């Protein structure tokens, strides 16, 4: 059925075939392909259906269980952090400061600092200023005026003595005895030892060494040629007896079999996906028509009317009665608070007395209102009780 799958189209010539077309498969591959794909489909189909079931279950669990659980845990831990951990942390911080910081700060400020300042620092400053400074100045004067000149004179005398006693005899011995003797010994060593050794190295040892090196080089080249020929022979044997059979088996057996198995797995996985999707749609249709539709019908036909009747006959009157009771209780509490506040004012006025009332317009008296406005102005003069005529008002305006 798929014998010409990997074969170039007929309209392309042999020299015009695209590079991505391979040679045609053999009869054995074509005969084995369909049974292999059928077997692989029978093996892969349960695995694909199980995988799709697990995917659907995981998505449903994530939507129904994990998301609400995550939100509930987030709210719980947020409330725990806000209303428990934060106040507890503030209390622990205050307790830590009260126990570990404030006592040590007070001890440092009122005990350690005064004791160190007035018990150690001030006496040390007095001793430095009154005792150590004069003593240091005296020692410096003795060093500069007495010890340094004496050491300088003593050093000059010792230098002259050492020069006369030690340096001058050694210089004379080196110049007039050791230098001539060393020159003579160097001349003897050069012409009796060095010159014969150099002649022997140049005329005897160098030719002998060149001959030995030439002989060893010929021997090494022969050994290298022998091992090179041996390596070429071994490589030919390994390639002919091992590499070429392995390559042929891989190219003509393992590679086609692996390619067919991979293609069969891909096709079987896709076909199993179609089958699994069809089975899942069938199960979903059955659940929708056998479970969801009756439940929806019962909810719309029975539960909704019963709920509305219960709401209109029971819950609404109860709610109105509760709201009326709440309003009455609030009004009663408001009246009781106003009564208690007024009684407290009256009792306070009876005990200490109230401020005397003053005439309007006086200093500290009630604020006067201007004409034509309900606002009070502190510096305005109270207006007359009778308003002026409109014409007069217009002239003044």
């Amino acid at each position: 059925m798929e014998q010409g799958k990997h074969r170039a189209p007929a309209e392309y010539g042999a020299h015009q075939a695209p590079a991505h077309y391979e040679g045609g498969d053999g009869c054995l591959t074509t005969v084995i392909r369909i049974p292999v794909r059928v077997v692989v489909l029978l093996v892969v189909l349960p695995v694909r259906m199980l995988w799709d079931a697990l995917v659907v279950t995981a998505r449903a669990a994530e939507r129904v269980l994990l998301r609400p659980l995550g939100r509930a845990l987030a709210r719980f831990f947020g409330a725990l952090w806000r209303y428990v951990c934060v106040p507890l942390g503030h209390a622990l911080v205050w307790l830590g400061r009260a126990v570990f910081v404030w006592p040590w700060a007070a001890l440092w400020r009122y005990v350690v600092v005064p004791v160190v300042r007035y018990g150690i620092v001030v006496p040390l400053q007095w001793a430095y200023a009154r005792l150590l400074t004069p003593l240091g100045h005296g020692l410096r004067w003795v060093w500069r005026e007495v010890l340094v000149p004496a050491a300088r004179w003593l050093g000059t005398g010792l230098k002259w003595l050492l020069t006369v006693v030690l340096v001058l005899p050694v210089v004379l011995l080196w110049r007039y005895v050791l230098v001539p003797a060393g020159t003579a010994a160097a001349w003897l060593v050069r012409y009796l030892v060095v010159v014969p050794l150099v002649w022997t190295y140049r005329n005897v040892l160098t030719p002998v060494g060149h001959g030995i090196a030439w002989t060893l080089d010929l021997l090494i080249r022969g050994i290298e040629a022998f091992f090179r020929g041996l390596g070429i022979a071994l490589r030919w044997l390994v390639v002919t007896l091992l590499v070429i059979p392995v390559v042929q088996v891989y190219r003509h057996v393992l590679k086609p079999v692996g390619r067919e198995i991979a293609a069969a797995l891909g096709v079987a996985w896709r076909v199993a996906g179609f089958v699994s999707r069809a089975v899942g749609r069938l199960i979903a249709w059955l659940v929708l028509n056998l479970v969801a539709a009756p439940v929806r019908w019962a909810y719309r036909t029975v539960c909704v009317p019963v709920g509305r009747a219960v709401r209109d006959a029971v819950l609404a009157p109860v709610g109105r009665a509760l709201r009326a009771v709440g309003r009455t209780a609030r009004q009663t509490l408001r009246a009781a608070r106003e009564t208690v506040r007024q009684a407290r004012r009256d009792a306070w006025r009876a005990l200490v007395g109230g401020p005397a009332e003053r005439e309007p317009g006086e200093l500290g008296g009630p604020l006067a209102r201007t004409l034509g406005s309900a606002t009070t102005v502190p510096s305005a003069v109270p207006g007359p009780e009778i308003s002026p005529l409109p014409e007069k008002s217009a002239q003044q305006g």
Side-chain angles (χ1 to χ4, degrees), residues 239-282:
V239 170
T240 304
L241 298 179
L242 182 62
V243 176
I244 292 177
V246 170
V247 170
Q248 294 298 325
V249 169
Y250 170 76
R251 182 177 298 172
H252 298 288
V253 177
L254 297 179
K255 186 177 179 180
V257 170
R259 185 174 62 239
E260 291 301 325
I261 291 175
L265 285 174
V267 173
W269 185 261
R270 289 192 295 271
V271 173
F274 292 133
V275 174
S276 176
R277 190 177 296 111
V279 172
R281 290 177 180 177
L282 177 62

Side-chain angles (χ1 to χ4, degrees), residues 336-361:
R337 284 197 300 270
E338 188 64 28
T339 303
V340 172
R341 189 181 296 112
Q342 188 66 31
R344 189 172 65 249
R345 283 182 195 157
D346 294 340
W348 180 259
R349 191 178 293 112
L351 290 175
V352 301
E357 296 183 358
R358 300 182 181 181
E359 294 295 332

Side-chain angles (χ1 to χ4, degrees), residues 112 125 167 262 273:
V112 176
Q125 288 179 352
V167 176

Side-chain angles (χ1 to χ4, degrees), residues 147-173:
L147 296 179
V148 172
R152 188 180 295 116
W153 296 338
L154 182 61
T156 303
L158 290 176
K159 179 180 178 182
W160 181 82
L161 181 61
L162 291 175
T163 302
V164 172
V165 175
L166 296 178
V167 176
L168 187 59
V170 171
V171 169
L172 294 176
L173 178 64

